[in-house]
Amino acid sequence: MNLKTLRYFVAIADAGSLTAAAAAISIAQPALTRQLRELEADLGVALFHRMPRGVRLTQAGVTFYESAQRILGEAQRVRQRLAGKTGDTKTTVVLGVSPTLARVLLPGLFEHCLRTLPEVELRSREAFTPELLDWLERGMIDMAVVTNPGVGRSVSLQPLIGEPFALVTHASMGMGPLVSVAQLARIPLLMTSLHRDLVERQLLPLGKTLNVQAVLDSVDTIRALVQKGPWATIMPVSVYKEAGTSSEVVMSQITGIQLNRLLVLATRLEPEGKLAIPVVQEMIEAEFSRLMREGVFTFTAAA
């Protein structure tokens, strides 16, 4: 085992597949596969579950991932000291966000961090809530903005905002600014599995149902299909508030029920002594406040 092998292992874990990792670090995939096989043989444990698409860390792999990160970090610090770069004391904070929120939250957050916290290196990883919470508990990220996380997790949860869902359709479907909850059963929808679950649970007490034609766990794919038309979806309002959304897209408020998602900041119970985490947490809260003032999370535009 050497530092190069550790770097290869971390690249596979971060990329989630051997193919993506090989492309990221410019190595032939057969050579990367061989290095991983030799590492697992050396350690005597399987580090990854082989999935139909990509790989996922085993419990032993999670433990080894944390150790590999520490070893590589220390090796880098040694190199810097030997090179006389003793002034670099940056702390890395890894934030997890959902695909629907990343394009809204991250640009302003990263700009603010670069301007005001030069000693902090903020990184991000995207996934849906179940995987974000799993990463958080395993120590692969330091904090995450998650949706309706529920209970029973070994993390600290702080509510941020409630955001309404909207019916989003192509203009050719002729929907107005208001749509009743009773109409939803007649509108063919494309939805992510997470949003479908959230909305259907809120509709259940009313005995209402959705007409879901396809479940696509790709927000960008659904956005593209709705903008081409004629398709519809139910999404948080912020997904279609950003600049560049087609004028052919109509966002309708659903009446007769308040459909919403709760955005929550989740942090590790034991943050490994990273003093920057509370500071980044305050920065996230400030960015949400700014976006709220600009009307990003509401049907009403900013004043």
Side-chain angles (χ1 to χ4, degrees):
M1 187 192 310
N2 53 44
L3 293 178
K4 182 182 291 185
T5 303
L6 293 182
R7 282 193 288 270
Y8 289 165
F9 163 74
V10 168
I12 297 170
D14 287 344
S17 79
L18 287 161
T19 302
I25 59 179
S26 301
I27 183 175
Q29 185 174 334
L32 187 59
T33 302
R34 184 176 63 255
Q35 291 280 348
L36 175 59
R37 193 181 319 97
E38 291 174 357
L39 177 61
E40 289 180 321
D42 185 21
L43 295 173
V45 294
L47 297 173
F48 293 97
H49 295 296
R50 272 63 173 179
M51 313 294 286
R53 295 184 180 179
V55 294
R56 183 176 180 180
L57 287 170
T58 63
Q59 188 57 53
V62 172
T63 301
F64 189 67
Y65 179 89
E66 295 174 358
S67 298
Q69 290 279 48
R70 286 195 294 270
I71 293 169
L72 292 172
E74 183 59 27
Q76 181 63 23
R77 285 189 287 274
V78 170
R79 290 193 188 95
Q80 291 170 347
R81 285 197 294 270
L82 292 176
K85 299 178 181 179
T86 57
D88 189 358
T89 57
K90 279 195 172 185
T91 299
T92 300
V93 176
V94 185
L95 170 67
V97 291
S98 69
T100 57
L101 191 60
R103 60 167 57 86
V104 175
L105 176 66
L106 294 184
L109 185 64
F110 272 93
E111 287 181 357
H112 192 188
C113 187
L114 288 170
R115 288 197 312 269
T116 63
L117 295 177
E119 72 280 7
V120 174
E121 180 184 1
L122 183 61
R123 299 181 183 178
S124 68
R125 297 188 68 178
E126 287 186 36
F128 288 105
T129 289
E131 192 165 13
L132 290 175
L133 290 171
D134 185 53
W135 288 350
L136 192 59
E137 288 183 323
R138 295 185 177 197
M140 297 173 66
I141 57 178
D142 297 301
M143 53 176 52
V145 180
V146 296
T147 302
N148 296 67
V151 296
R153 292 281 190 167
S154 300
V155 296
S156 175
L157 301 174
Q158 177 182 333
L160 292 168
I161 63 167
E163 179 184 9
F165 281 99
L167 174 71
V168 187
T169 60
H170 190 267
S172 63
M173 298 180 71
M175 295 295 171
L178 299 177
V179 174
S180 72
V181 65
Q183 289 179 264
L184 295 182
R186 301 193 297 271
I187 301 172
L189 299 170
L190 306 174
M191 296 192 70
T192 69
S193 56
L194 179 64
H195 293 150
R196 180 184 186 179
D197 180 61
L198 287 175
V199 171
E200 287 186 331
R201 278 194 277 128
Q202 294 175 66
L203 291 175
L204 188 60
L206 297 181
K208 304 298 183 181
T209 59
L210 297 176
N211 180 14
V212 179
Q213 297 293 298
V215 175
L216 303 172
D217 280 330
S218 169
V219 174
D220 287 337
T221 299
I222 293 177
R223 280 166 52 89
L225 287 168
V226 171
Q227 290 188 153
K228 287 175 61 179
W231 290 104
T233 188
I234 296 178
M235 284 271 188
V237 295
S238 60
V239 176
Y240 285 88
K241 276 296 194 76
E242 65 179 294
T245 298
S246 170
S247 59
E248 293 297 304
V249 169
V250 176
M251 187 162 61
S252 305
Q253 187 170 355
I254 301 167
T255 63
I257 190 174
Q258 180 62 56
L259 297 176
N260 57 51
R261 67 170 177 175
L262 178 63
L263 295 176
V264 177
L265 182 62
T267 54
R268 299 180 65 186
L269 293 177
E270 299 176 3
E272 297 185 349
K274 291 187 178 180
L275 300 179
I277 287 180
V279 180
V280 174
Q281 181 172 335
E282 291 180 2
M283 189 175 294
I284 292 171
E285 294 168 357
E287 184 64 14
F288 268 99
S289 296
R290 183 185 70 81
L291 293 170
M292 281 290 290
R293 290 194 300 272
E294 293 182 358
V296 172
F297 297 110
T298 62
F299 283 95
T300 307

